[in-house]
Every structure is written in structure tokens, then in C-alpha cells.
Amino acid sequence: MMRPGSVLVAVPVAALVAGLLNGATTATANGASSGAANKPGSGPGFVLTTRQPGGPGFAPAFVGNGYLAGRQPADGQGFTLVTLPGSTKPLATQSEVQGFYARITAPDTGTIERRAALPAWSTLRYNDGSGSYSLASGTVHGYRQSLNLRTGTLTTTLRWTSTAGRTSRLRYDVTPDRARKHAALVRLRFVPQFSGTVTVTDLLDSTASELTNPAGTGHAGGTQWVNLSTQGLGVHGTVASVLRGPSGTPQAVPQADVQSVAQRLRIKVHTDKTYDVTKSVGVAVSTDVGATGSAHGRALKAARHEAALGYSKARVGSDLAWRRLWASDIAVSGDARLQRQVRASYFWLLASIRSDVPWAPSPGGLSSDGYNGHVFWDSETWMYPSMLATQPALAKAMLQYRVDRLAAARANAVKTGFRGARYPWESALSGQEETPSCCLTGQLEVHVNSDIALAFWQYWLATRDKTWLAQKAWPVVSGIADFWVSRSTANADGSWSINDVIPPDEYAEHINDSIYTNLAARDALRIAGSVAALVGRRAKPAWRQVADHLRLPFDATQGIHPEYAGYPGITVKQADVTLLSYPWEKGQSAAQTARDLNYYVPRTDPNGPSMTDAIHSIVTSKLGTPGCAAFSFTRRSADPFMRPPFDQFSEARTGGAFTFTTGAGGFLQEFIYGYTGFRWRAHTVTLDPSLPPQLTGVTISALHWQGHTLRVAVQRSHTTVTLTAGAAMQVTSRSGKHTLKLGKSLTLATRRPDQVPTTDVARCHPATASPATAEPPDSAVDGTDTTTWLAEMPGTALTVDLRRTIALRDITVTRPPVLAIASADPTGKAVTGPTQSAGEDVAVSADGVTWTALASVTAPTLRDEITGSGQTIRYVRLVARGDTTAQHPLVVGELAVGAG
């Protein structure tokens, strides 16, 4: 599940400072409004800012309210096509709305449903008489674009001098209204440095539309609209807007395109005076669940109501709705860049989901029509868990999407020759199988059914809503159980198999007894049995019979779970076997989990999806592996995938879907479930906090469980758990069971794997790479050679600061026995084979300035030992030799230093 694309590297984001225009938000240097740092939803890392006016390396942001959204160009409004570095396919700044689907037929897809794109609704053109403002015309000074995560507002400020030499200061604010799902706001505030007449044009621009047919446009008293119908399906949609400014009634502007409509205001202006023009937008579609009346009527009503409220009052309601969501803030201290990445990732999810819209997010959320706007296991496995813990109402709406399509799942089972309910690999509006004909996943990647069953069970554990369990969950999980019985095959020895599947590792096709598929099916069958007992229904004997006898492959010689029957140890696309420990919590020893992890991490394609290392981090946190490997995995799960300037995930290091909200969801789980050790249980929650030395704290402001709300603050010395809402409850930790009362706090020990005794004086000390590398340099000193640092160019240096001077005894470099080396072709598979590292030069220094060569290793082995002579050093450096290439890199699993 990945498409080729671009390679980008995240860059630090500047903090918001005072705005250029009257009314701009005043902020402290770290982006926090003065005096608000101690409140949820405030503090550093909430405002992401760039001074780069588009161009190379600029990945545009999207803003959304969970129902409607729009990706905005660097200009601050409108529509454009951009090209991300490393990609040849233009990226459109699309406008999306939930449920707006077309049906298309193409040679590489067959006939499928695909989400259609709306006209661009944010376009508000400023013209000083010589032409409309754009970054491509005239001269731009003082450019700044800021995304305020707290309010879901994108603000663009600049000073623009037109080709006629007239200068104006411009500010655009674009805000989908979080309080009123059908509405959005665009405000232009401008200060001309001349007197004369300017024109502001409100355009609903069909240049952005895709897969739509015209259904009429119109104007009436400052309101305009575009009616659309999707190709193939005929879903109706309307985009409407109301234009208000300092003078007169807008005049209609004829458009050649029958799916575009425009109106404009002519405004007499004076030098250094401030003027505001507001565009109030309404969007509705005929597939809106539970709606009354026409989409046309709802869109016009929304736009006019927003205009009647006025910009300031509408923003008050929207900002308050966002503030409530940010009560579940995730705060990270000790790493400002990581804090920005966490909050941005949370925002991209919130912008794509809302509690009053029963829809599950696609891998691109509402950023675009990425993956055709289809719903995969990404929803339940990667995005849903973060919402369930922090925003249970949003999580419930995500599951309702599956409830509403149960009949389609049953029809899909019959159509494909099975019983029960078979949810499709790719789902859209109808709930039928929408996987393009080019791919086998729709036929064979059936584990999605178990992923759905697990999500429903987790919701029960998190809420104990028995009415929901009986009315919503039971029909779904029982239908899935019936499907698994019919999809399984009895063997002569009494065991059962599930044959001819694709597991999460999509490099493997037509394989039998995938351990992930089988274990997940087993547990889905058991979930159905448990739900039956809880709601007083009959569990079918076949469910237990199949569950208890499904084959779970195990290689006793190597002590690991093979991915599937006959698995030969080849490259894995993404997390597969490692998912057994989390989220499935397979009952096995920690040693077994560690063996599986250590076996599969080096075999996983570095160019695979971004969520893989999130699982590796969570599992490593649980294991308490000595050192700080959990944080290496955290860095690996984010940095190579983040696109500047707004910290958005790309699906893979080499591109793929963008914005990849699946990756954002997986990343957030590291903090919610990894470093806190938070797990659902029927009668308690369990916490098992740990913290790497690179961080000083992780605080989850609001974890929700069965009507209770917990604040969990993981710090280096201890963890504080406070019950902020709900009656007394039970919390379970390694130290036992604890009763926690409202307003009271519980202190737990914070595990510190980095403090496990070691003779390696380099472990978990600061490491840097020059030039920067895709793999975090911390990987070389995190206590395990399962994580590797790679240098792909000669001269690349890894430097470790021991933080004190020592008498050097020895330096040891170890490497994993096998390693997956990424293909030079971004669309190709990595090649896994015996590790063959490039050479390394080893040098040491007492002051970081004067270096002494210690050794040159021209033929590295899996363990290179360099003996010291007791010389006094503080720094150790490895430098890649001349034989280093991307396909033959310097490989460092672990750099250990002995003293004495």
C-alpha cells in the first residue's frame, strides 16, 4: 500500500511572532500566547511557521474541521499545483468533503468509487488595478505563513508590490469552522500604501474540481453557489459563499467555466487604512448522514448563517470547539522538534474526523483524494487507537462507518463465496470492495476483518457501553466470526489453516498460514464469543473450534515466529510479526517478543511505510530493552517522513501518500501507548511508564476510560497519574493495583532502561552525524545493534560525546548478521542479505578539536574490536571510507566504548 513519490527532510519551524497587520496574534517566541502555558492546548509547539514563499521543499498544509477541508497554497488562498522534490507528479491543493464520491472506470483500476474534489472554496483575490496578487507576480517582502494548531487557522502575511509599483500589506486567514461543520471562513485584511480603488473577488474555482459534472450556478444578494454532481454515482454537492466587505453589494462576475462562479467588491481605499473582507463558505452533499432537505439548501443556509455571525463571532465558536479538543493535548518536553511533530500529527487527525460525521478516515485523511479516499485497515489499526484514548466520541464515529456498511460486508462475503460479513480491503461510500483491479490486495488481504473486530472490542473495553455492544458491535463481530469459519480450511491433523492470503507484509502474496492473519482471526473469533456472553447471545461452537486449532507457525530452531508457512527470511515491507505483541498482545514471553523483534527489524525495507518503527518503539518500550532503542525507533518513525514546513507525514521516505494521516496515527501511539504503557482492560487500566534519556517528560492530558479521565505525566524520576473526572477507579501497574479517587494523584516509578548498568560508556550518550543521515545517529549508541546507523557517502562522520574524559580501553563496532538495503529505485524492494559494511576510519579526541587516528578498518566484520592504550579521550568518531555507497553503506549496529 504505497505509491512512489518524493524524498524530503524535515526542517525546524520558526516560531510565531507579532503579526504584520493590525489584529495579528501576538505570541511569545515559542509560539505560546502569553500567560497560557499551563493550560491544555497551550504552550510551545502550537504554531508552525515558515518564511519560505513556496518553491522547492515547500509542502502545503491543509486545514479542515473533520467534515470539509482544503489544502492551501503558499499564496494563502486559492488553488495551485505544486511539485514536491523527488516527485514528477504535481500535487493539487484539493478541497475535500466527506461522502462525496464518484464512480470511475480506468484501465489500471477497473470500476471503483473515488472521492471527488470540490471547487476551491478559499479563493479571495486582491487586485490593486494592475492585476491580482500572487507570489508569482510583482514583488513580495516579509512573507510569513503560520498554521495555528490550536484554532485550525492558516494565516499568511506579506507586503506585496504589484507590477504597477503599488504596495499593500496583506493578511489571509483561512479557517474551516469546527463548531459548524458545513461552514468555513476566509478573511482578507489589507492595508494599502496608496489611495485609489481595489477589487476583491470571491471565486469558487472549478479548476480544483475533479470527477464532477455541472448542475448549475447562481447569485442572489451577495450569495453565490455552485451545484455539482459526481460522475458515475450522481452524488449532489453544493459550495456556496457570502462576500462581505466595507462597501456595497458584491457584483456577479461572469465565468467561462460552467462549474465556477465569482462575485466581487470594488472598494475605495486610502493610504495606511485597514480594510477587512470576509468570505463565508457553506458546503453540503447529498450523502450527509441524517441530514434533512437538499444539499443546496444546507450549503446556502450554512454560508448565510456564518456571514450573519460575522467573522469574530464565528471564530469564537470555532476556536472554542478546537479548545475542547486540545484538552487532550500530548505534551513532550526535552525535544522541541518532537513536540511540534506530535502536535502537528494530532492536528492532522483531528482535521479529518469529527463526532457528528460517521465516517472513517482514508490514509490521506481529508488532505486530498490520496488512495482514492478509500478506507483501509489504516483507520482501525493506525488512526483509531489514538482517538479512542483521547477523543472517544470521534472514535465511535469512526466505528459507525463500519456499522453502517455491515449489509455491504455481508453481500461481499456472499459474492466471494463465503458466509458472514467480509469487509473489503478498500471501502468507500457503498462499502463494497473498491480495490483497483491492478492489485491483489482486494482479493487476498483479508486480515482487515480482524482489525475491525479488535477495534470494536477495544471500544467496549474503553467505554463498557453495553447497549452499543449489543446493538452495534454484536452484529459486526459475529458476522466477522462467521466469515473466518468459512474462510478457514480443516487439515487432516485436526488443525485449521487460512490459505492464499496477503499479510500486512504486502511483499508476500498467495501465502498460507500468515501468522498475523491466523492469530488475528483466532482472536476475532474469541472476541465474538466474549461479546456473545456479555449480551446474552449464542456463540457458535464452530467459532471456538476453529479459533483453538488455527495454525500459528513457529520455528523452534531459530526461536522465532516465521511470517508465514515456508517464510525464507526475505525482505519485509512493514510491521507484521511484530504486531503480535502490540496491538494484539499475544500471550508470550518477553524473550520471545525480543527474538521476533530483533529478527524482523533488520529485514524490514527502509522504504516501507512510516508506521513500522512506531510499533518497534512501542514494543521496545514494553520490553525495557537496556539502553534507549525505543527513542531511536521514535526518531526513525518520524524524521525521514516529515515534510516541511508544517510537519506533515509522507507515507514513505521516498514519497507516497501525502499527507499520510496513517503515519500520524501510528506515531502518536508511541506516546499514548508506548512511553506510558497504557492498555485497555475491562475493570482497570494498566500503566507501565518508561522514558528515554533524550526526553524530560511525556504528558497525556486526558486519557479516557469508562467515563473517567486521567492525566498521566511521565517524568524522569517518577510518573504522576491524576484522576480529573469520574468516580474512583482502579489503576494497575508493575507495583500492583491502586485505587485512585477524583482529584487525587498516584505516583508510579518511571522505568529508565538507559540506567540499566553497563560497561559501555558510550551507551545513550549524544551522537551526531555530518552530513545528516536518514537513520538517526543515536541508533549507533542506543544499546542494541538491532537499530543501525548507515552512512551512504564517503566522509560521512559519526561523532559520539562520552560527556566525560576516560582512559580508553577499547572500541567495539557490532553489526546485525543480516540487513535490508533499500533499493536505488524508490518503487523497488530492499534486498536482504548478509551484512557487508563499507570500511570505517576510527579516531578519538579529548577536546573535540584535535583528533587522533586510531584505526582504519578496510574489511569490516560483524564485530570489529579496536584496542586502546589508556589514552585520555572524550569523543569517538567513525568516518565512512571511500568504498561507501548507498548500496554498500557503512553499517554501525552498535558503537561500544570500554574504559579503564
Side-chain angles (χ1 to χ4, degrees):
M1 179 186 137
M2 183 167 52
R3 295 187 291 221
S6 63
V7 179
L8 295 169
V9 179
V11 296
V13 182
L16 183 69
V17 296
L20 295 178
L21 303 179
N22 295 335
T25 301
T26 299
T28 61
N30 61 17
S33 297
S34 178
N38 294 323
K39 299 178 182 179
S42 66
F46 275 99
V47 181
L48 311 180
T49 301
T50 181
R51 295 179 181 273
Q52 178 186 348
F58 185 99
F62 81 95
V63 285
N65 66 9
Y67 171 74
L68 64 87
R71 190 184 295 286
Q72 305 303 318
D75 295 77
Q77 48 79 44
F79 173 79
T80 192
L81 295 173
V82 300
T83 302
L84 300 181
S87 175
T88 58
K89 182 180 179 181
L91 175 73
T93 57
Q94 293 180 317
S95 297
E96 302 288 319
V97 62
Q98 302 282 26
F100 195 54
Y101 281 83
R103 181 178 288 126
I104 65 167
T105 301
D108 62 338
T109 65
T111 300
I112 61 168
E113 295 175 356
R114 176 181 161 192
R115 192 162 64 206
L118 298 170
W121 49 260
S122 69
T123 309
L124 195 56
R125 291 177 176 168
Y126 173 83
N127 190 320
D128 68 355
S130 63
S132 294
Y133 149 72
S134 80
L135 295 176
S137 68
T139 304
V140 172
H141 296 282
Y143 177 88
R144 176 178 293 160
Q145 189 171 78
S146 299
L147 175 63
N148 190 323
L149 304 176
R150 286 174 294 194
T151 65
T153 298
L154 186 73
T155 299
T156 308
T157 57
L158 63 139
R159 189 171 72 255
W160 180 63
T161 302
S162 69
T163 55
R166 301 188 186 100
T167 297
S168 303
R169 288 184 288 159
L170 306 179
R171 169 179 171 144
Y172 282 99
D173 295 288
V174 181
T175 311
D177 191 328
R178 188 77 203 194
R180 291 161 284 272
K181 66 183 177 184
H182 291 287
L185 290 163
V186 185
R187 183 183 68 174
L188 167 62
R189 173 168 287 177
F190 62 94
V191 182
Q193 305 299 296
F194 61 91
S195 296
T197 301
V198 303
T199 302
V200 178
T201 302
D202 162 17
L203 173 65
L204 300 177
D205 185 3
S206 71
T207 308
S209 301
E210 286 189 303
L211 308 178
T212 60
N213 294 318
T217 62
H219 294 85
T223 303
Q224 63 179 6
W225 59 86
V226 175
N227 294 326
L228 306 162
S229 177
T230 63
Q231 298 173 10
L233 285 182
V235 176
H236 295 288
T238 296
V239 182
S241 63
V242 176
L243 186 64
R244 297 281 173 85
S247 61
T249 300
Q251 301 300 307
V253 181
Q255 297 294 300
D257 191 309
V258 294
Q259 293 190 70
S260 294
V261 66
Q263 56 185 347
R264 69 186 175 202
L265 286 170
R266 295 186 184 275
I267 305 169
K268 291 184 178 180
V269 299
H270 300 280
T271 300
D272 287 335
K273 298 294 184 182
T274 301
Y275 301 87
D276 283 359
V277 178
T278 301
K279 175 178 182 175
S280 302
V281 179
V283 176
V285 295
S286 59
T287 51
D288 290 338
V289 177
T292 58
S294 68
H296 176 83
R298 292 195 303 277
L300 264 64
K301 181 179 179 181
R304 287 167 173 164
H305 179 64
E306 198 80 350
L309 287 173
Y311 181 83
S312 296
K313 191 171 181 179
R315 278 294 305 274
V316 167
S318 181
D319 291 358
L320 177 60
W322 274 109
R323 190 176 307 127
R324 289 169 177 159
L325 292 173
W326 280 109
S328 296
D329 183 27
I330 303 170
V332 177
S333 56
D335 189 321
R337 174 181 56 163
L338 188 63
Q339 175 68 93
R340 290 192 299 268
Q341 293 170 340
V342 166
R343 287 205 172 115
S345 295
Y346 197 50
F347 174 81
W348 305 125
L349 283 186
L350 294 177
S352 301
I353 310 165
R354 59 185 298 125
S355 61
D356 56 356
V357 177
W359 202 272
S362 65
L366 277 177
S367 71
S368 68
D369 66 347
Y371 279 114
N372 300 305
H374 291 173
V375 177
F376 296 72
W377 75 314
D378 302 49
S379 178
E380 285 78 19
T381 301
W382 301 109
M383 292 179 267
Y384 166 83
S386 297
M387 294 295 98
L388 181 58
T390 63
Q391 307 286 348
L394 274 64
K396 185 178 183 180
M398 294 169 69
L399 295 186
Q400 187 63 36
Y401 171 85
R402 299 296 190 180
V403 173
D404 292 344
R405 286 155 183 81
L406 176 59
R410 291 189 177 280
N412 188 38
V414 172
K415 181 179 180 180
T416 54
F418 301 103
R419 297 188 299 277
R422 177 182 180 177
Y423 281 92
W425 177 242
E426 297 190 32
S427 180
L429 180 61
S430 68
Q432 300 171 5
E433 181 61 73
E434 303 295 344
T435 300
S437 57
C438 61
C439 305
L440 288 172
T441 48
Q443 302 172 43
L444 305 180
E445 198 156 358
V446 288
H447 65 78
V448 61
N449 293 277
S450 299
D451 304 319
I452 292 169
L454 177 61
F456 274 74
W457 181 247
Q458 289 170 331
Y459 187 81
W460 157 250
L461 294 177
T463 65
R464 288 190 74 83
D465 185 339
K466 200 164 187 178
T467 300
W468 175 89
L469 190 71
Q471 296 179 358
K472 307 292 187 181
W474 167 249
V476 171
V477 299
S478 60
I480 289 171
D482 288 340
F483 166 71
W484 280 126
V485 170
S486 67
R487 184 63 172 80
S488 303
T489 301
N491 299 311
D493 63 359
S495 66
W496 287 74
S497 291
I498 301 176
N499 296 325
D500 197 20
V501 302
I502 293 175
D505 170 19
E506 291 172 340
Y507 289 164
E509 298 178 345
H510 295 296
I511 57 96
N512 299 332
D513 287 327
S514 148
I515 189 166
Y516 181 93
T517 303
N518 286 16
L519 181 135
R522 181 200 73 180
D523 286 1
L525 288 161
R526 291 176 176 174
I527 286 170
S530 296
V531 174
L534 287 164
V535 301
R537 304 299 290 264
R538 175 180 173 271
K540 296 180 181 179
W543 296 351
R544 182 171 181 177
Q545 171 67 18
V546 175
D548 289 350
H549 296 91
L550 276 169
R551 287 180 172 175
L552 301 180
F554 184 76
D555 185 331
T557 301
Q558 298 189 81
I560 57 100
H561 290 97
E563 188 181 275
Y564 50 84
Y567 169 68
I570 58 178
T571 302
V572 173
K573 179 181 179 182
Q574 64 182 48
D576 189 302
V577 175
T578 51
L579 290 163
L580 303 185
S581 176
Y582 175 86
W584 286 97
E585 297 193 67
K586 180 180 182 293
Q588 61 187 26
S589 68
Q592 181 61 63
T593 298
R595 284 194 297 270
D596 286 340
L597 180 75
N598 294 338
Y599 182 86
Y600 284 101
V601 170
R603 288 171 168 79
T604 303
D605 193 337
N607 284 343
S610 62
M611 314 86 67
T612 293
D613 279 319
I615 296 300
H616 296 162
S617 177
I618 294 168
V619 173
T620 301
S621 292
K622 179 66 175 178
L623 288 171
T625 304
C628 47
F631 192 76
S632 295
F633 286 125
T634 292
R635 290 263 64 108
R636 282 173 42 154
S637 72
D639 289 350
F641 304 95
M642 286 287 178
R643 303 298 179 248
F646 299 112
D647 290 336
Q648 297 174 88
F649 266 92
S650 184
E651 181 178 12
R653 299 179 181 196
T654 52
F658 175 83
T659 302
F660 192 48
T661 50
T662 299
F667 175 57
L668 292 173
Q669 290 185 57
E670 299 177 54
F671 303 90
I672 299 171
Y673 298 95
Y675 293 125
T676 69
F678 179 55
R679 298 290 187 275
W680 307 111
R681 297 293 182 262
H683 302 289
T684 185
V685 296
T686 67
L687 293 168
D688 188 18
S690 64
L691 199 68
Q694 293 90 344
L695 300 178
T696 57
V698 171
T699 299
I700 313 299
S701 299
L703 283 176
H704 296 273
W705 177 78
Q706 298 183 9
H708 304 81
T709 306
L710 293 171
R711 183 180 185 273
V712 180
V714 183
Q715 298 172 294
R716 285 179 169 177
S717 59
H718 64 280
T719 294
T720 303
V721 185
T722 306
L723 182 61
T724 60
M729 62 172 289
Q730 188 180 87
V731 175
T732 302
S733 71
R734 292 195 176 205
S735 60
K737 296 181 178 180
H738 316 270
T739 298
L740 186 57
K741 295 182 179 180
L742 180 63
K744 301 299 182 181
S745 295
L746 168 69
T747 301
L748 303 176
T750 299
R751 291 184 293 114
R752 291 290 304 277
D754 62 301
Q755 294 181 347
V756 175
T758 179
T759 59
D760 175 12
V761 298
R763 193 182 74 183
C764 295
H765 286 317
T768 57
S770 180
T773 54
E775 303 295 339
D778 289 348
S779 299
V781 289
D782 62 10
T784 173
D785 62 11
T786 302
T787 56
T788 51
W789 176 77
L790 305 180
E792 298 183 338
M793 297 186 301
T796 302
L798 172 77
T799 304
V800 180
D801 180 359
L802 304 179
R803 288 182 169 171
R804 62 186 177 93
T805 57
I806 64 159
L808 179 64
R809 185 184 70 215
D810 53 41
I811 297 171
T812 304
V813 179
T814 57
R815 315 173 213 277
V818 300
L819 191 64
I821 300 298
S823 170
D825 177 358
T827 64
K829 300 178 184 177
V831 176
T832 296
T835 299
Q836 296 179 340
S837 176
E840 61 203 1
D841 292 331
V842 184
V844 294
S845 173
D847 57 8
V849 177
T850 302
W851 292 87
T852 302
L854 194 63
S856 290
V857 182
T858 58
T861 65
L862 296 183
R863 182 181 178 87
D864 292 331
E865 297 183 10
I866 299 98
T867 302
S869 57
Q871 58 267 59
T872 299
I873 70 163
R874 174 173 170 169
Y875 301 90
V876 177
R877 176 172 290 172
L878 301 184
V879 180
R881 290 179 59 83
D883 59 337
T884 303
T885 67
Q887 300 308 301
H888 180 58
L890 167 60
V891 179
V892 180
E894 191 68 12
L895 170 62
V897 178

